[in-house]
Amino acid sequence: MAVKHLVENVRDIALVGHRAAGKSSLADALLFDAHAVDRLGSVDDGTSVADADDEEHKHHFSIDTHVLHADHDGKHLNILDAPGSPDFIGAALEALSAVETAVVVVSAVNGVEMVTRKMFQEATALGLSRALVINKLDAEGVDLPGLVEQIQAAFGKSCVLFNMPDRTGPGMREVHCLLDPRQIFPPSAPVDANAARSALIEAVVEADEALLDKYLTEGKVSLAELEADITRAMDAGTLIPIFCASAKKDRGVRELLDALARYGLSPAFARKRLEGFQIGQNGSMHQIQPTEQEEFVGQVFKVVNDKFVGHLSFVRVLAGKLQHNHNVVNLRNGQTPRVGHLLEAQGKTTSQVHEAGPGDIVAVAKVEGLEIGDTIAYTHHAPKLPLPHFPTPMFGLAIEPKTRGDEQKISAG
C-alpha cells in the first residue's frame, strides 16, 4: 500500500525537551487519541510505543529518537519522539533536522531546564516553527502563571498561552481554548483568561499587517480571522503557542492534537530550507520545490542497526517521490545503491509502503553506506543539502574486544 499524503496534509513534528518532561508519555497519548493504537502506552510499565528498546524499558527514559505516525482530522502526522538526556542530545538534533515544527515539552514540576533551552535555541536557529507544552499540570503545587513568566523570560513574549486548564493539581479535568470569546472559564482557572486571550490575539495579528491594523483600529478581530492567521504567525515566529496538558491522564492531549493538525506547518514550508538549492533538468537549473512533481531529493537523518530488520536508514523526503525498488545516488560519495523496501515505522514495528512524497519519513532497510546527513537523489546533479549540526563531544571512549573472535561482532554492531 502506497503512502499517499498531499503535501498540505502532512505535519512533521519533533517532541523535544529535557529528560523526564514526559515527551514519550505525550507521544503515546497523541497516538492513542488519534486512534493509531488501541491502548494508551505507558513508560512506567514498559508498554510505551515510543520507548521500545530494552534499555529504555530498563531505565524508563528515551535513548534514541523514535519515529511514530498518526492520522487525525484528515492530516498525517509524523511524530519524532526525541531523547531529553544531555548524553543523547545528538539524537534530538537529528530529529529537528527532519521536521517543520518543534514541540518543546516543559515539565510543570521542574520548569525550564538546560535541554529545554538548548532545543528551543536549536529549533530557532533552524528556522522551525515552535510550540511549547507544559506537561504534568496535574502535579501538586504547580504555579502556572509563574511557569508562563519563566518561559517568557527564557524565550520571549511571543510565547503565549493557547489554552489553559480548568485548574492545576490532581483535580485537573480539561483545558479551555483561549481563542473563542464565547468560551466560559471556571472560577478555578489559574490565570486571568481575558489577559491571556489578549496576549494570544496580539501574537497572532502581529504577523499580518492588515489584520493588525484592523485590531488596532476596531479593537477586535473575528475568530475566523484569527484561525486563518495562526499558521502564518507560527511560521513568522510572532506566535509560539503554549499548550497545557497532563499526558499520563490524557488531559489536553486531544486539544494539542487538533491544533497540530489544524495549524501546524506543512512540508510546503520546507521552501525556506531549500532556498538557494537548484536542480538541473534538460540543461537548465531551477529552484527545488517541495512538491511531488519535483525530482526526488531526500536526506538521511537517522541510522540504526535493528536486530530484526538489520541496517535501517531513516529518510525525510524533501522533494519529489521516493519509490521502492529504485536506485538512488548518494551525493556524498557518488555511490548508487538500490533501495528495495520502503518502511513506515511505528516505534519498533514497521510496515511496507511503495512510495513516499514530500514530508514523508520512511526507513530503507539493508542499504549499506548511508550515513546521517547524506543527501540522496535520483540524479548526480541534485544539490547536496547541509549536514545537521552536532556539538563537539566533551570526551571520548574506546572499547576493545576481550577476545580476537569478538572483533567481527563489534564491527557488525
Side-chain angles (χ1 to χ4, degrees), residues 271-334:
R271 285 186 176 88
K272 291 192 298 185
R273 189 182 319 182
L274 295 170
E275 193 171 346
F277 290 104
Q278 298 190 335
I279 197 164
Q281 279 187 338
N282 302 322
S284 63
M285 302 293 287
H286 73 275
Q287 172 70 47
I288 297 179
Q289 298 294 329
T291 65
E292 288 189 1
Q293 294 71 37
E294 185 63 84
E295 192 172 311
F296 165 67
V297 177
Q299 188 167 35
V300 178
F301 69 93
K302 169 180 162 71
V303 176
V304 297
N305 273 304
D306 186 274
K307 60 184 176 182
F308 300 110
V309 185
H311 189 83
L312 280 179
S313 303
F314 286 83
V315 178
R316 157 68 195 265
V317 179
L318 286 154
K321 291 192 286 189
L322 173 61
Q323 297 173 321
H324 74 141
N325 296 327
H326 202 294
N327 281 35
V328 296
V329 179
N330 183 340
L331 296 176
R332 175 176 54 84
N333 54 24

Side-chain angles (χ1 to χ4, degrees), residues 7-129:
V7 175
E8 59 267 26
N9 291 334
V10 177
R11 304 287 183 266
D12 293 324
I13 298 150
L15 300 178
V16 295
H18 203 84
R19 176 183 167 185
K23 298 180 297 300
S24 295
S25 295
L26 182 60
D28 284 319
L30 287 169
L31 295 182
F32 178 71
D33 278 33
H35 306 293
V37 295
D38 296 329
R39 59 167 292 185
L40 180 60
S42 168
V43 173
D44 295 330
D45 65 17
T47 61
S48 171
V49 180
D51 283 354
D53 187 83
D54 290 341
E55 286 296 313
E56 291 173 327
H57 291 164
K58 178 180 176 182
H59 295 287
H60 300 290
F61 64 78
S62 299
I63 293 173
D64 200 0
T65 289
H66 297 287
V67 180
L68 312 163
H69 63 89
D71 293 295
H72 178 70
D73 197 21
K75 305 298 189 292
H76 181 76
L77 285 73
N78 293 308
I79 303 167
L80 305 186
D81 175 37
S85 170
D87 301 331
F88 307 114
I89 201 166
L93 295 175
E94 292 170 8
L96 290 181
S97 70
V99 300
E100 274 69 57
T101 302
V103 176
V104 184
V105 184
V106 180
S107 166
V109 178
N110 299 322
V112 175
E113 300 173 89
M114 181 187 73
V115 178
T116 319
R117 295 177 185 274
K118 178 66 174 175
M119 289 295 101
F120 189 94
Q121 291 163 356
E122 290 289 339
T124 303
L126 289 170
L128 304 181
S129 82

Side-chain angles (χ1 to χ4, degrees), residues 112 117 120-121 132 145-160 242:
V112 175
R117 295 177 185 274
F120 189 94
Q121 291 163 356
L132 293 124
L147 283 166
V148 173
E149 287 181 8
Q150 186 185 38
I151 287 170
Q152 290 178 338
F155 306 132
K157 294 294 184 181
S158 296
C159 303
V160 293
I242 302 173

Side-chain angles (χ1 to χ4, degrees), residues 160-173:
V160 293
L161 284 169
F162 194 90
N163 56 31
M164 69 174 184
D166 56 344
R167 57 179 53 79
T168 59
M172 176 188 174
R173 293 193 304 269

